Amino acid sequence: MATTRIPAADVPPGSVTGVGDHAVGNNGEYFAVGRRCRHLRADLAEGSIDEQGCLVCPWHAAAYDVTTGAMVRGPQGGFAKVPGLDAFYRALTRAWPLHRGGVTVDGEDLVVE
């Protein structure tokens, strides 16, 4: 398993960044999840963190629970008006959640696995 070290200062609270195949963020705790949205493969490392600590897709605002990798809100905007689409994507990510990586703090660095 490959590991990558980055300065913890590069991931302040409320931020997300890309580290290899992971979107690494800090919602009060550090997390690492797969970098591609299950909807249209947007780069989640360009996303944001909402008030509930979920990772939000930068393209269509789908939201992911970073502890499980499951989508908790489907794509928004015009996609939100498609009947059944939200339920479909939420069910899809229960079966095929975002990969979750490990993040540990080592001094001033984060170690992402």
Side-chain angles (χ1 to χ4, degrees):
M1 181 182 300
T3 61
T4 304
R5 295 178 77 89
I6 63 168
D10 287 357
V11 192
S15 71
V16 182
T17 192
V19 178
D21 291 337
H22 292 100
V24 176
N26 182 345
N27 63 1
E29 294 184 21
Y30 295 109
F31 65 84
V33 295
R35 199 166 166 159
R36 295 290 166 195
C37 181
R38 294 292 190 242
H39 176 224
L40 291 176
R41 312 261 316 138
D43 187 352
L44 295 173
E46 297 174 4
S48 59
I49 297 173
D50 69 12
E51 305 81 42
Q52 290 76 40
C54 294
L55 177 58
V56 179
C57 175
W59 287 2
H60 301 112
Y64 291 89
D65 179 333
V66 297
T67 62
T68 66
M71 186 182 285
V72 295
R73 181 183 64 229
Q76 300 298 291
F79 292 103
K81 297 176 184 174
V82 177
L85 188 65
D86 182 71
F88 168 77
Y89 277 107
R90 286 185 290 128
L92 173 70
T93 62
R94 279 193 300 276
W96 188 39
L98 295 176
H99 167 78
R100 291 171 316 282
V103 180
T104 55
V105 178
D106 183 18
E108 302 276 324
D109 291 337
L110 301 179
V111 179
V112 181
E113 298 182 53

